């Protein structure tokens, strides 16, 4: 880019370009401003991270009150909360505390820093005076890898998140940031050629190319040994987000047309909607007790047969490709199973898809005062809600933590939920068909036996 001022004017607007329809849907207002405030926290930043002459104190920008003098595009979400999940079975929940309304981020923010750098592992963005901390998970945590080189760019969009090289974390943390950029700037519709997107190696770069049509020449993989710097850095974050994957209400609306267009490219080979069970490998974290799982799937398949649905067991232990799996999740009427990364494919599922997560509600709600929040994971509740899917939390009878195995639940309770939602044939009809089938089997067996006896008698008589 030869004309730096022209490219800056193209990308840096004093008024935010947000479609009024999206703002009306989300109930938010976007503003662009600079906030002057005292720095309430400083971080000692090693000199070699900027390849500069000395160590210095940087102002840590975490929340609204700490933004300092930073240019930012902001969409406020005051008092935003997740819609309460549907819950079953009731008899397992009677002794539990009331379900609180889980808070969502207080604001969606795109920071705009001049002459700034990005660390490759955590995605922290900083300039000579301040550091933008990527939500609570990276507060006061310096990256582990010392950069060996500094890579310079002109205009950089920071999409680097920790663990972003895995599909589920890319979908939980990177995809909402893409949606935010589209809502504010409409970049993925207009595709400015000046932008370079910095993202972790893995499926994220493929999603940018195949779903959002970003040219490969505008995608840079974040090298672990490099510090990526630019004359201007755009950094999308969600303020006051205390859990991974917490997405503002209707926060995915701006990218829904891209997902729908991608899904429409590949027609389905089987017109029957899928009941998609996400099976975790035996003995792995959060796997279901093998004997119980086998009995449950047999009983469910028995009720699904001869309906317009088909049961598919998606084994997470097998090799998968997100482009192939996307079609399966697109065709799913129900996605269900124990908590796990396979739910990261939910963005490919349609609105109103039923999502059933086998997880204690104590493990998906926000902590009560005085409780440790390290073991709560409401991410797929938030993801399903953002994509307007119907989220059910199903209570197990045994759950040994997120690192434990052999989850147990009552199969009949889960089958009853499928029955309640209209996905199964009535038990009386199935039982009647089975009786009719057995009568046929017995009749044919009797006829066959009589034929054999007659033939034996015939052979003896002719001899």
């Amino acid at each position: 880019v030869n004309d730096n001022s022209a490219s800056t004017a193209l990308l840096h607007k004093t008024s935010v370009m947000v479609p009024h329809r999206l703002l009306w849907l989300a109930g938010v207002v976007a503003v662009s401003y600079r906030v002057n405030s005292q720095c309430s926290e400083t971080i000692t930043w090693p000199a070699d991270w900027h390849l500069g002459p000395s160590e210095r104190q940087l102002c840590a920008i975490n929340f609204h009150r700490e933004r300092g003098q930073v240019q930012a595009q902001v969409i406020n979400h005051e008092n935003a909360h997740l819609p309460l999940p549907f819950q079953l079975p009731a008899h397992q929940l009677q002794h539990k505390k009331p379900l609180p309304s889980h808070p969502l981020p207080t604001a969606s923010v795109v920071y705009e820093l001049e002459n700034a750098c990005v660390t490759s592992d955590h995605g922290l963005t900083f300039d000579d005076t301040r550091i933008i901390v990527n939500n609570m998970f990276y507060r006061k945590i310096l990256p582990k890898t010392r950069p060996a080189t500094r890579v310079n760019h002109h205009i950089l969009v920071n999409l680097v998140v920790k663990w972003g090289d895995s599909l589920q974390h890319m979908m939980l943390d990177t995809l909402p940031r893409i949606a935010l950029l589209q809502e504010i700037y409409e970049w993925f519709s207009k595709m400015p050629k000046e932008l370079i997107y910095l993202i972790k190696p893995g499926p994220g770069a493929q999603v940018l190319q195949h779903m959002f049509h970003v040219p490969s020449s505008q995608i840079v993989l974040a090298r672990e040994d490099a510090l990526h710097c630019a004359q201007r850095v755009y950094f999308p974050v969600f303020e006051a987000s205390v859990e991974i994957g917490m997405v503002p209400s209707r926060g995915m609306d701006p990218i829904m047309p891209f997902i729908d267009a991608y899904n429409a490219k590949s027609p389905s080979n089987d017109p029957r909607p899928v009941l998609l069970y996400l099976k975790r490998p035996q003995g792995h974290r959060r796997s279901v007790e093998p004997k119980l799982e086998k009995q449950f799937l047999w009983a469910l398949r028995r009720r699904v047969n001869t309906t317009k649905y088909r049961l598919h067991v998606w084994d997470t232990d097998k090799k998968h490709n997100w482009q192939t799996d996307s079609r399966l999740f697109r065709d799913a009427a129900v996605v269900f199973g124990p908590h796990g990364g396979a739910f990261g494919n939910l963005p490919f599922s349609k609105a109103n898809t039923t999502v059933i997560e086998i997880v204690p509600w104590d493990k998906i709600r926000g902590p009560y005062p005085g409780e440790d929040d390290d073991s709560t994971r409401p991410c797929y509740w938030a993801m399903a809600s953002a994509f307007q899917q119907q989220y059910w939390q199903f209570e197990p009878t045994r759950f040994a933590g997120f690192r434990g195995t052999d989850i147990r639940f009552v199969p009949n309770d889960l089958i009853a939920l499928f029955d309640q939602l209209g996905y199964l044939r009535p038990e009386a009809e199935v039982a009647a068909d089975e009786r009719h089938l057995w009568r046929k089997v017995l009749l044919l067996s009797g006829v066959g036996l009589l034929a054999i006896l007659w033939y034996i008698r015939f052979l003896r008589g002719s001899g």
Side-chain angles (χ1 to χ4, degrees):
V1 179
N2 297 321
D3 187 356
N4 294 345
S5 60
S7 61
T8 300
L10 170 66
L11 300 173
H12 180 55
K13 303 291 185 181
T14 55
S15 61
V16 181
M17 298 180 296
V18 184
H20 294 297
R21 181 180 64 84
L22 292 177
L23 289 178
W24 177 79
L25 287 171
V28 297
V29 177
V31 296
S32 173
Y33 62 93
R34 291 180 184 270
V35 179
N36 290 291
S37 65
Q38 243 182 350
C39 184
S40 61
E41 178 188 10
T42 59
I43 292 180
T44 301
W45 200 244
D48 53 9
W49 282 104
H50 202 282
L51 307 182
S54 63
E55 198 174 70
R56 61 198 181 284
Q57 295 287 319
L58 296 186
C59 180
I61 309 299
N62 287 279
F63 301 109
H64 185 288
R65 65 181 183 277
E66 300 170 332
R67 285 182 190 142
Q69 194 172 355
V70 183
Q71 183 70 33
Q73 307 282 348
V74 182
I75 300 177
N76 288 309
H77 313 284
E78 294 182 4
N79 302 315
H81 290 78
L82 273 175
L84 295 180
F86 301 104
Q87 293 182 278
L88 273 180
H91 63 82
Q92 295 289 346
L93 295 163
Q94 290 175 352
H95 65 287
K96 303 288 185 179
K97 297 177 184 178
L99 185 70
S101 184
H102 203 296
L104 289 170
T106 56
S108 301
V109 183
V110 181
Y111 289 102
E112 304 173 3
L113 272 70
E114 303 285 348
N115 299 315
C117 295
V118 178
T119 64
S120 291
D121 45 6
H122 287 191
L124 300 180
T125 303
F126 64 97
D127 60 15
D128 285 333
T129 59
R130 74 215 110 203
I131 176 172
I132 310 296
V133 180
N134 190 347
N135 298 341
M136 66 163 294
F137 300 100
Y138 317 109
R139 190 181 181 91
K140 287 190 173 181
I141 299 177
L142 297 183
K144 297 178 181 179
T145 306
R146 180 187 182 279
T149 59
R150 171 173 171 163
V151 182
N152 292 317
H153 309 276
H154 177 51
I155 302 176
L156 194 64
V157 181
N158 178 15
L159 293 176
V160 177
V161 296
K162 190 170 177 61
W163 307 304
D165 49 355
S166 67
L167 177 70
Q168 66 268 36
H169 283 282
M170 190 279 297
M171 290 295 193
L172 287 168
D173 270 359
T174 306
L175 202 63
R177 286 165 165 78
I178 293 173
L180 175 58
L181 294 171
Q182 174 65 13
E183 182 169 6
I184 291 180
Y185 303 105
E186 297 183 350
W187 281 342
F188 301 99
S189 300
K190 300 177 179 178
M191 205 58 66
K193 296 180 180 179
E194 295 83 357
L195 297 178
I196 294 295
Y197 296 89
L198 183 67
I199 196 167
K200 283 268 194 176
Q206 299 174 20
V207 170
L208 280 178
Q209 280 187 269
H210 298 288
M211 189 180 296
F212 296 100
H213 313 295
V214 178
S216 59
S217 59
Q218 292 182 241
I219 300 172
V220 172
L221 301 183
R223 292 169 45 187
E224 289 294 331
D225 64 342
L227 192 67
H228 293 268
C229 302
Q231 296 174 28
R232 176 178 292 274
V233 174
Y234 292 86
F235 183 31
V237 295
F238 300 100
E239 288 194 343
S241 176
V242 296
E243 301 284 356
I244 289 176
M246 300 306 289
V247 183
S249 177
R250 309 303 293 268
M252 293 297 195
D253 284 9
I255 61 172
M256 291 293 286
F258 294 90
I259 297 176
D260 292 341
Y262 179 80
N263 280 339
K265 288 181 179 179
S266 304
S268 178
N269 295 326
D270 191 328
R272 293 176 298 166
V274 182
L275 307 185
L276 185 57
Y277 177 65
L278 307 181
K279 183 184 187 306
R280 294 185 66 81
Q282 182 177 339
H284 285 217
R285 297 175 183 177
R286 301 180 303 282
S287 58
V288 176
E289 194 275 317
K291 185 177 179 181
L292 181 143
E293 186 175 54
K294 185 177 180 180
Q295 292 172 346
F296 163 70
L297 290 174
W298 179 88
L300 183 62
R301 185 172 279 109
R302 169 179 172 268
R303 296 284 302 277
V304 172
N305 287 341
T306 72
T307 69
K308 68 176 182 178
Y309 301 99
R310 56 189 170 105
L311 177 62
H312 183 96
V313 177
W314 195 84
D315 195 336
T316 58
D317 197 29
K318 296 181 179 178
K319 189 175 182 179
H320 291 280
N321 176 284
W322 71 269
Q323 291 167 294
T324 302
D325 294 334
S326 64
R327 296 192 287 271
L328 190 60
F329 279 81
R330 174 202 62 191
D331 296 338
V334 184
V335 179
F336 65 109
H339 174 91
F343 281 98
N345 290 281
L346 283 179
F348 299 113
S349 297
K350 300 181 180 70
N352 296 317
T353 298
T354 300
V355 179
I356 306 172
E357 187 177 13
I358 303 173
V359 63
W361 73 262
D362 282 340
K363 300 297 183 183
I364 66 166
R365 60 165 175 75
Y368 290 105
E371 291 183 330
D372 182 10
D373 66 351
D374 288 342
S375 60
T376 58
R377 300 186 185 180
C379 48
Y380 299 119
W381 168 20
M383 177 179 277
S385 300
F387 283 99
Q388 305 162 48
Q389 296 159 357
Q390 301 298 315
Y391 178 84
W392 287 79
Q393 174 265 319
F394 187 83
E395 192 74 14
T397 56
R398 181 184 184 277
F399 188 85
F402 287 111
R403 297 180 181 274
T405 61
D406 293 340
I407 292 176
R408 295 192 63 84
F409 60 89
V410 180
N412 286 342
D413 288 338
L414 189 47
I415 290 175
L417 173 57
F418 278 89
D419 204 1
Q420 173 187 330
L421 296 174
Y423 295 113
L424 307 180
R425 287 189 67 203
E427 171 63 29
E429 290 184 12
V430 174
D433 284 352
E434 289 176 343
R435 289 194 297 270
H436 182 65
L437 178 62
W438 276 111
R439 283 195 294 268
K440 281 187 174 180
V441 170
L442 291 174
L443 178 61
L444 291 174
S445 299
V447 171
L449 180 60
L450 289 175
I452 292 171
L453 292 175
W454 178 87
Y455 185 66
I456 293 172
R457 186 175 178 180
F458 172 78
L459 291 176
R460 288 178 177 176
S462 62

